[in-house]
Amino acid sequence: MTSVAVRALNAPATVPGSRVLGVGAYRPARVVTNAEVAGPIDSSDEWIRRRSGIATRRFAAPDDTVVGMAAAASVKALAQAGVAPDAVDTVLLASMSQLEQSPPAAPRVAHRMGARSAGAMDVGAACAGFCHALATADSLIRSGNSRYVVVVGSERMTDIVDPADRGTAFLFGDGAGAMVVGPAEEPGIGPVAWGSEGDRHEAIAHSAPWPAPGTRAGATGSPALRMNGPAVFRWAVATVPRTARAALAAAGLTVADLAAFVPHQANLRIVDGTATALRLPDHVVVARDVVHAGNTSAASVPLAVEELLARGAVPRGGLALLVGFGAGLSHAAQVVALP
Ligand code: UT7
């Protein structure tokens, strides 16, 4: 009975693996200094650099929308991959700053990049969203359900961060990063190691449900991101090495096999602390895009990968260990071969 049902469902053929074929970034033009964000929170350039490693971040212009930035990054990734937009089967958008609950934003991102027949959906896992979506893309391709998948993280954190909140105002930035993933004879994306701690959901959360668009976050009781920074910091430095080691073990690799370590760019102290905990050999390049991008939530991992590739810091085909983590509390890690 079971075998008849399985045949009738036409399970697609499996393929041996998937790999990243192209990476693209969109960074808003406006560079914002620490001096600019420090005023409303009675902070200083010196404090922000010492506590977070951030020197500058980018803020979106009014017409830099989550959808538009995602499409711009995706178009660049498709060009690098040499994949035509209309060959894309699926678009996965990771974002925590798209202000509409419905409609989902991914269909508009797909349309804007020219992927007119693609299935498209939003993935909600906050700062860990990109790595969750990348794992989903790998599974879709290996199962034979999709051939080409665009995975994109896009954030307009300035819409949800209160410029007067001392715990977050200096930390976050805007931007988008995308990867095109396609089938491969050899696996180019390792198994995901992930998890969540929903009992700790209040550690990073909105202060209230969404109001009308255009209302400034934090003012008049409208929802802004609130974060218990020290608690999240302690959770991150304990969780990132653990989930990173699990992803390495699942892929049958050790730190010696890596070319790069690309954790979510939450804070330079977390980046450097977790790199030290993992005892990375000297040849492993550690992504430090946070210094000039700030924390761009779901966009930070692909943006940091793009930055390493753009300045030739890692060899093409080298292995990168990606780790996303944040609100949820959620985390996900995998090893990928760089395009
Ligand atoms: O992306 C999602 C995941 N997010 C993260 O992983 C972020 C994790 N957390 C962090 O990165 C850090 O907690 C922050 C960068 C947000 C804050 O750094 P911290 O070292 O944890 O600072 P703190 O909140 O413990 O505050 C230390 C001191 C306090 O003063 P006392 O009590 O030592 O006298 C604060 O009042 O710094 C003071 N302070 C500030 N001073 C200047 C707190 N915020 C500020 C500020 N400017 N913005």
Side-chain angles (χ1 to χ4, degrees):
M1 189 65 185
T2 308
S3 61
V4 170
V6 168
R7 271 204 302 278
L9 289 175
N10 291 330
T14 56
V15 301
S18 78
R19 65 176 292 134
V20 178
L21 303 172
V23 181
Y26 180 86
R27 298 176 195 269
R30 190 156 95 80
V31 175
V32 175
T33 63
N34 287 339
E36 193 175 330
V37 294
I41 54 172
D42 186 23
S43 189
S44 66
D45 177 51
E46 188 278 329
W47 190 95
I48 294 169
R49 283 178 195 259
R50 183 161 42 83
R51 293 292 177 140
S52 72
I54 296 168
T56 57
R57 76 284 292 140
R58 307 286 184 115
F59 278 3
D63 58 353
D64 285 329
T65 60
V66 167
V67 169
M69 293 192 292
S74 301
V75 165
K76 289 184 194 164
L78 284 165
Q80 190 186 88
V83 171
D86 59 9
V88 173
D89 297 306
T90 306
V91 174
L92 303 177
L93 171 72
S95 182
M96 69 180 294
S97 51
Q98 169 67 9
L99 295 182
E100 280 162 330
Q101 190 84 47
S102 185
R108 277 170 283 171
V109 176
H111 179 77
R112 288 272 285 269
M113 78 177 77
R116 273 173 274 275
S117 57
M121 63 178 162
D122 296 355
V123 176
C127 300
F130 187 86
C131 291
H132 281 74
L134 189 62
T136 307
D138 173 55
S139 297
L140 284 169
I141 292 167
R142 282 191 293 104
S143 66
N145 273 303
S146 296
R147 187 164 168 79
Y148 294 112
V149 181
V150 173
V151 184
V152 52
S154 182
E155 300 285 15
R156 241 182 98 91
M157 297 301 286
T158 41
D159 279 344
I160 64 166
V161 169
D162 175 0
D165 177 32
R166 291 190 108 196
T168 55
F170 63 94
L171 201 58
F172 291 96
D174 301 332
M179 293 186 184
V180 176
V181 188
E185 288 304 316
E186 300 274 321
I189 296 181
V192 70
W194 62 15
S196 64
E197 295 173 37
D199 55 334
R200 305 189 63 194
H201 64 279
E202 286 171 344
I204 314 175
H206 287 275
S207 52
W210 295 124
T215 326
R216 200 193 111 206
T220 63
S222 66
L225 195 68
R226 297 286 187 238
M227 177 172 71
N228 181 341
V232 175
F233 192 104
R234 284 192 295 277
W235 170 79
V237 293
T239 303
V240 171
R242 197 161 54 230
T243 196
R245 284 191 200 101
L248 277 170
L253 300 168
T254 72
V255 286
D257 300 306
L258 296 173
F261 174 55
V262 189
H264 164 47
Q265 303 287 291
N267 177 330
L268 190 62
R269 286 158 57 212
I270 296 177
V271 171
D272 288 342
T274 53
T276 302
L278 285 168
R279 297 201 176 90
L280 301 176
D282 289 346
H283 72 265
V284 180
V285 177
V286 177
R288 295 194 173 87
D289 196 39
V290 65
V291 175
H292 293 293
N295 177 338
T296 58
S297 186
S300 90
V301 167
L303 279 171
V305 169
E306 190 270 346
E307 194 270 342
L308 293 179
L309 291 174
R311 66 182 168 89
V314 287
R316 301 222 166 250
L319 297 177
L321 173 57
L322 315 182
V323 189
F325 59 92
L329 298 173
S330 304
H331 53 97
Q334 64 267 98
V335 180
V336 305
L338 296 170

